Every structure is written in C-alpha cells, then in structure tokens.
Amino acid sequence: MKVAVLDDYQRVAEGLADWERLDAAVAFFHDHLDDEGAVATRLAPFEIISIMRERTPFPRSLFEKLPNLKLLTTSGMRNLAIDVEAANERGVIVCGTESPGNSTMELTWALILALVRRIPPEDRATRAGRWQVTLGEEVHGKTLGIVGLARIGSSVARVGLAFGMKILAWNPSLTKERAAEHGAELASSLDDLMRRADVVSIHVQLNERSRGLIGARQLAMLKPTAYLINTSRGPLVDEAALLTILREKRIAGAAIDVYDREPLPPDHPFLALENTVLTPHLGYVSLQQYQMFYPQMVEDIEAWLRGSPIRVITPARAKAPHY
C-alpha cells in the first residue's frame, strides 16, 4: 500500500505520528498544488491519502481521476472540500478525526485583542524605532456579537464574559433559553446583531445555506467603530463587499484567518489594507491539534486495513448543518 500525506506545510506530520506502524510506504508532500490535473498526476499511484481539511479539495472530478484510491482520511469529521457522495460511489471510504476546537477559540481571541489593541502596527513601529503610534481600545463593556453559538462560539462567549463584555448571539435555530445558558442575549435577527455589536465573530459551518451569509447589506449595518472577525470559513462573508467596506474605512477593521482562496495569493488586495490583521488559516493549526489529527489518521488507516473502518464520514453527516 502507498500512503500520501498532503499539504504538510510545516513539515511536521512525519514526526507527530507513528506512521511506521503501517505496512505501507508513506510519502509526505510539503507544497500545495492548485491545479487539479497536477494533483491527480501526483496522487495517481496512491491507495490511501491523508489530508488536512479544506487545503486540497476532493470534488467528484478528482475522484474520477484517481482509480487506485481506496481510503481518504481527513482532519476533523466535517470537510466541505470532499464530495463524500462521489467518493462512496467509487468505493472510497472517507474517515475523519476528532477536533476539540480549543485552538480556534484561542486564535479568535488572539485576533480580537490584536486588532482592538492595535498590536501589529505597534509591533512594527517599535521595531522601526517609533514609540506609541496608535491608540488602542479596551473590549470591556463592548458588545460581542457571535454568529453561531455552538461548540466554538459558546467557548468564545465564555471568554467574552470574563473580559466584561455583553454577549449578543444569533443563528437560525438558536433559542432564547439556549443563548441564556451561555450568558448571551438572543438577537432578534442577524441584522439586529450586525447593527448592535461592537465586535462580530463568526462561528458557523460553511454549507450551501450559509455561503454568503454576511453580504454587502449586512456589512453596511455595522457601526463605523465595529470590528469583524472571521476564523470559520472565507465564503461565509462576501469578500468583495468586505474589501470595499475596509478600503472605505466604514468599519474600524477586520481580523481574517480564512479566505475564498487558500493559500492567499501574494497580490491579494487584503494584503494592502492597514485596518486588517491577517493570519494563514491557523484556527486548527496548533501542536495539540496536530497531535490528535495525525495519530488518529494512522488509526483510521489501521482500522481500514483490518476491514473495520472507524470514524467514517457519510454523505449525510458531511452535509448536515452545524451552527
């Protein structure tokens, strides 16, 4: 058996799991290929492929180019970039891993504080020999609007409460009682949340219902002093509309970890904006997360080789809405 481990950007996958337990030849790829034809050519010899979610898409067209593929393992139990139905039709089993979500919650707060306290420009100024060039703000007393109060969103809310913030939350199925359990007030609508929040943080799964959830109209409702944080998925927000509102400085700023296209192209207009804090999809990227992902991928492969797959991702699970 041949195993391919894709998009190992930090060159750490080999050392974080005991791949030698597998009766297989394992190849680690550290670069990212955008072209589907090039991906298919590279992966043609492999029966097993392990991927980090949403880095390399696996649509139906790619599965059709990989006749040798038998097992696809991914980090997490949801990966919108995989056409699970197409995989199953071709006899490919898709398996996942656990993903606690602590890393994303912590990154969300790192971005909020970096943006509101102006940490990146102050860091650059200090290194350049200048002293105190901006005036940051406190989050205490501000209203934190959370779009999606599930596992990650509710943990973000708890930290907000510890900072003395007022919590406003919304998602389509959220009830007043459920919001209250997490110390939050239920917004009457997404529009209501966008109008009232000082900081808006997005924590919903990307699917066909949520794609473009926050568009030009919703962004226009934000206060001029408001901040937008996205550590979920890029296409949840209309990227062109966000670029416009940031260029025109109609909000105070945005912290962005996820994009329509990843890796972010070197000429992307976000890179020229001073009122942003940008990170390269670090939400689930931490040592502790990887120490779960890669060993569980090995477990997935071992179980499949024994004929008893574990943590199988079905088409129904892959498409289920999750807020």
Side-chain angles (χ1 to χ4, degrees):
M1 283 285 179
K2 293 182 179 179
V3 179
V5 181
L6 302 191
D7 296 314
D8 178 24
Y9 298 154
Q10 297 102 339
R11 298 175 179 263
V12 296
E14 187 172 4
L16 289 176
D18 186 5
W19 300 93
E20 294 182 1
R21 283 165 35 189
L22 303 174
D23 185 17
V26 184
F28 299 90
F29 295 99
H30 311 300
D31 59 334
H32 174 78
L33 297 178
D34 276 324
D35 181 71
E36 185 176 294
V39 174
T41 299
R42 170 177 283 183
L43 299 180
F46 295 93
E47 293 92 354
I48 302 170
I49 300 172
S50 293
I51 65 174
M52 197 60 70
R53 64 179 180 229
E54 276 116 35
R55 290 184 182 175
T56 296
F58 272 74
R60 179 178 294 273
S61 54
L62 181 55
F63 283 110
E64 292 172 350
K65 296 182 179 75
L66 299 174
N68 292 324
L69 182 60
K70 301 293 187 292
L71 174 67
L72 181 66
T73 70
T74 175
S75 59
M77 291 300 295
R78 298 175 187 272
N79 188 338
L80 193 69
I82 300 174
D83 188 333
V84 179
E85 188 171 347
N88 290 176
E89 287 175 9
R90 301 189 65 82
V92 179
I93 300 295
V94 181
C95 297
T97 71
E98 298 174 65
S99 180
N102 302 326
S103 177
T104 302
M105 179 275 286
E106 292 181 6
L107 180 72
T108 298
W109 275 104
L111 289 175
I112 292 172
L113 295 175
L115 187 64
V116 175
R117 293 302 300 265
R118 315 285 198 271
I119 291 174
E122 290 292 358
D123 174 79
R124 292 191 295 269
T126 302
R127 294 172 189 275
R130 293 177 292 140
W131 198 253
Q132 294 186 4
V133 298
T134 69
L135 186 60
E137 301 178 65
E138 299 176 9
V139 296
H140 180 87
K142 291 186 181 295
T143 296
L144 172 62
I146 299 179
V147 182
L149 196 66
R151 182 170 49 115
I152 296 174
S154 61
S155 64
V156 170
R158 286 195 296 274
V159 178
L161 290 170
F163 273 117
M165 300 185 78
K166 302 170 186 175
I167 310 299
L168 186 65
W170 175 89
N171 67 51
S173 59
L174 185 64
T175 65
K176 182 177 181 180
E177 292 73 23
R178 173 71 174 163
E181 288 175 11
H182 297 289
E185 175 191 346
L186 175 64
S188 61
S189 64
L190 177 58
D191 290 359
D192 179 47
L193 182 144
M194 298 296 285
R195 290 190 187 99
R196 295 168 58 193
D198 298 300
V199 179
V200 174
S201 191
I202 306 167
H203 301 284
V204 298
Q205 181 193 4
L206 176 64
N207 54 40
E208 291 313 309
R209 289 173 54 196
S210 62
R211 187 179 295 274
L213 179 69
I214 297 178
R217 190 177 67 84
Q218 288 78 21
L219 290 169
M221 294 176 184
L222 290 169
K223 302 173 184 178
T225 54
Y227 300 90
L228 181 74
I229 317 295
N230 190 3
T231 56
S232 291
R233 293 296 179 269
L236 293 166
V237 180
D238 183 322
E239 189 172 277
L242 179 58
L243 278 165
T244 297
I245 207 166
L246 287 168
R247 281 190 183 120
E248 296 176 359
K249 297 185 178 179
R250 287 191 276 138
I251 62 173
I256 311 165
D257 185 50
V258 287
Y259 310 89
D260 287 0
R261 181 181 171 191
E262 298 178 3
L264 195 65
D267 59 348
H268 196 286
F270 275 145
L271 300 173
L273 298 176
E274 294 183 356
N275 51 350
T276 60
V277 175
L278 308 177
T279 49
H281 203 151
L282 297 180
Y284 60 74
V285 178
S286 72
L287 175 62
Q288 289 75 15
Q289 289 275 89
Y290 278 20
Q291 286 173 331
M292 177 174 291
F293 289 162
Y294 288 120
Q296 289 193 4
M297 288 179 185
V298 172
E299 292 174 3
D300 288 344
I301 296 170
E302 288 179 316
W304 178 80
L305 290 171
R306 292 193 302 266
S308 302
I310 59 174
R311 292 187 286 265
V312 176
I313 300 175
T314 64
R317 177 162 192 159
K319 295 178 181 178
H322 177 67
Y323 293 96

